[in-house]
């Protein structure tokens, strides 16, 4: 158990397990019911995301149906709910940022922003907090001063409560991995960074230079393992190509505001990437080590849409017919690759790695 994760994101799975136990189902059914409950919440939030905004809908669809995201959504991991809530928060903000016909922020959207912010703040010591700053780009004309202040206050309270909760857990239940191959300790690593800031910065720079480019492989990666390597590579690069060819991008009429928004996408993505890496150095790497362990591509998925929206601003004209259908077909192929990987893992005698 890590103090950097609050139990809030485990509630969907917990409800599924509780229901299975109440019904007296066999253990295997209880386990699968917990996974199914997690996936059901992810699917419902995904549907809400696609219905919320028309801006960059194709990119939201690609991120939601990526093999990695679906794998996480059908597990007990908190990452599925984190990805869905992050994308929903972004979708709600984009709805009001780009649609000039919106006159007021609906109450359901206000509640959605607050609830999603709680999940966003509750992970990795609020490392994904820059996502919530997108709310500041929502036009003020949609809110009175009192409403704007109340929303900012609610989001700030959400941040303070979740971070405070995590710090209390860190103090009472120190996250300490002490195994034969690892000696990780959050507080010990913090003291080490304070003593040797130069060494830590060298370690961080080395990690970024060695692994930075490889992190774009988050769409396929090991979630399509031991199957069709060509499909894995294609799924990896497809979001970048789809972003460049996106037909549903949105642009503000005010060029200065659009530039500020693009700058926010870039800076917030860079900040969250560094925060994620540093958090793994604190919680998963031996104290004083000259490497950073535990960094996985899934940790970048909640904000991956930000750089994709910047790429979508490239002046590339898409003349491909039935582009939306081709996106759906390609993502289905990615899901087939995911299913094939399960088959290969479940039935080792079936070897399809030659594809």
């Amino acid at each position: 158990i890590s103090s950097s994760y609050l139990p809030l994101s485990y509630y969907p799975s917990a409800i599924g397990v509780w229901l299975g136990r109440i019904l007296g189902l066999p253990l295997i059914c209880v386990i699968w019911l917990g996974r199914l409950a997690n996936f059901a919440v992810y699917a419902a939030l995904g549907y809400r995301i696609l219905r919320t905004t028309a801006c960059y809908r194709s990119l939201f669809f690609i991120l939601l149906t990526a093999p990695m995201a679906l794998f996480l959504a059908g597990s007990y991991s908190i990452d599925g709910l984190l990805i869905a809530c992050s994308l929903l928060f972004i979708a709600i903000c984009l709805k009001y940022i780009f649609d000039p016909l919106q006159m007021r922020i609906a109450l359901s959207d206000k509640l959605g922003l607050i609830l999603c912010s709680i999940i966003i703040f509750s992970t990795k010591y609020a490392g994904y907090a820059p996502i919530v700053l997108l709310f500041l780009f929502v036009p003020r004309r949609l809110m009175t001063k009192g409403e704007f202040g109340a929303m900012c206050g609610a989001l700030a309270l959400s941040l303070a409560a979740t971070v405070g909760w995590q710090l209390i857990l860190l103090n009472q239940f120190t996250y300490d991995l002490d195994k034969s191959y690892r000696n990780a300790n959050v507080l010990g690593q913090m003291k080490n960074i304070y003593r040797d800031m130069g060494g830590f910065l060298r370690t961080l720079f080395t990690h970024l230079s060695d692994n930075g480019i490889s992190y774009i492989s988050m769409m396929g990666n090991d979630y399509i393992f031991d199957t069709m390597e060509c499909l894995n590579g294609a799924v990896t690069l497809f979001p970048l190509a789809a972003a460049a060819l996106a037909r549903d991008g949105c642009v503000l009429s005010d060029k200065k505001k659009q530039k500020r928004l693009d700058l926010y996408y870039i800076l917030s993505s860079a900040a969250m990437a560094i925060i994620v890496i540093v958090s793994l150095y604190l919680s998963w790497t031996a104290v004083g080590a000259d490497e950073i362990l535990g960094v996985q591509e899934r940790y970048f998925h909640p904000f991956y849409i930000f750089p994709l929206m910047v790429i979508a601003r490239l002046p590339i004209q898409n003349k491909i017919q039935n582009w939306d259908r081709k996106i759906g077909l390609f993502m289905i192929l990615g899901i087939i690759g995911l299913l094939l990987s399960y088959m290969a893992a479940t039935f080792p005698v079936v070897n399809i790695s030659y594809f």
Side-chain angles (χ1 to χ4, degrees):
I1 299 175
S2 171
S3 61
S4 65
Y5 296 91
L6 297 184
L8 302 174
S9 299
Y10 292 104
Y11 282 174
S13 297
I15 292 174
V17 171
W18 172 80
L19 182 60
R21 295 180 64 181
I22 290 296
L23 296 176
L25 299 178
L27 178 59
I28 185 64
C29 294
V30 173
I31 294 174
W32 278 101
L33 192 57
R35 296 167 67 104
L36 181 61
N38 208 35
F39 185 82
V41 172
Y42 179 87
L45 291 174
Y47 176 78
R48 172 71 188 281
I49 291 168
L50 298 178
R51 290 294 301 271
T52 294
T53 179
C55 290
Y56 302 104
R57 185 176 290 167
S58 61
L59 300 183
F60 281 109
F61 175 78
I62 290 170
L63 293 176
L64 286 168
T65 57
M68 178 183 63
L70 293 178
F71 174 89
L72 295 170
S75 70
Y76 281 90
S77 170
I78 70 166
D79 292 289
L81 185 60
L82 173 63
I83 290 170
C85 287
S86 299
L87 293 180
L88 179 55
F89 189 98
I90 295 170
I92 294 174
C93 289
L94 295 184
K95 170 185 174 180
Y96 293 101
I97 291 173
F98 289 109
D99 189 352
L101 300 180
Q102 297 292 333
M103 302 304 296
R104 305 287 292 179
I105 299 180
L107 177 60
S108 59
D109 286 336
K110 292 178 181 178
L111 294 176
L113 290 173
I114 295 173
L115 293 176
C116 287
S117 73
I118 295 174
I119 300 299
I120 293 170
F121 291 144
S122 68
T123 302
K124 294 190 182 302
Y125 307 110
Y128 298 104
I131 292 175
V132 179
L133 295 178
L134 183 60
F135 175 74
L136 298 178
F137 289 90
V138 175
R140 298 290 190 276
R141 63 177 179 81
L142 301 176
M143 299 170 282
T144 65
K145 286 186 177 181
E147 290 174 333
F148 177 73
M151 280 298 298
C152 290
L155 295 175
L157 180 61
S158 171
L159 173 61
T162 51
V163 171
W165 190 355
Q166 292 176 76
L167 292 176
I168 291 173
L169 291 178
L170 179 61
N171 183 57
Q172 295 184 353
F173 307 99
T174 303
Y175 183 64
D176 190 352
L177 287 177
D178 189 3
K179 300 180 180 178
S180 59
Y181 61 95
R182 185 184 298 125
N183 180 22
N185 183 286
V186 174
L187 295 179
Q189 195 73 285
M190 288 180 177
K191 295 177 181 177
N192 175 72
I193 294 174
Y194 179 77
R195 289 193 301 265
D196 187 14
M197 179 60 70
F200 163 68
L201 292 178
R202 285 192 297 271
T203 299
L204 179 61
F205 178 79
T206 301
H207 181 87
L208 290 173
S209 60
D210 291 345
N211 302 282
I213 296 178
S214 68
Y215 288 147
I216 66 171
S217 66
M218 62 188 71
M219 305 301 293
N221 197 39
D222 295 334
Y223 297 89
I224 310 181
F225 58 90
D226 294 334
T227 56
M228 295 181 280
E229 291 298 328
C230 61
L231 179 59
N232 191 0
V235 171
T236 294
L237 298 176
F238 181 69
L240 302 176
L245 298 173
R247 291 175 173 175
D248 51 6
C250 297
V251 180
L252 292 173
S253 58
D254 189 325
K255 293 184 178 180
K256 290 185 178 180
K257 291 183 178 180
Q258 182 61 55
K259 289 182 179 179
R260 287 198 293 267
L261 188 59
D262 290 337
L263 183 62
Y264 159 76
Y265 293 152
I266 296 171
L267 294 180
S268 62
S269 298
M272 285 184 281
I274 292 176
I275 291 172
V276 165
I277 294 171
V278 172
S279 70
L280 270 301
Y281 184 69
L282 292 173
S283 62
W284 200 252
T285 307
V287 176
D290 58 357
E291 60 180 340
I292 301 177
L293 303 177
V295 181
Q296 300 179 40
E297 289 80 0
R298 60 191 172 111
Y299 300 140
F300 303 95
H301 204 90
F303 58 88
Y304 193 30
I305 194 169
F306 283 167
L308 293 183
M309 288 192 291
V310 174
I311 295 174
R313 299 255 294 123
L314 295 175
I316 299 176
Q317 187 175 4
N318 183 357
K319 296 184 179 180
I320 301 176
Q321 296 182 351
N322 299 319
W323 176 240
D324 292 341
R325 293 185 179 181
K326 288 181 171 61
I327 290 177
L329 176 61
F330 195 89
M331 299 315 295
I332 289 175
L333 291 176
I335 295 172
I336 290 175
L338 179 64
L339 295 176
L340 287 175
S341 71
Y342 273 113
M343 291 177 59
T346 305
F347 307 102
V349 71
V350 180
N351 187 353
I352 53 179
S353 59
Y354 60 86
F355 281 95

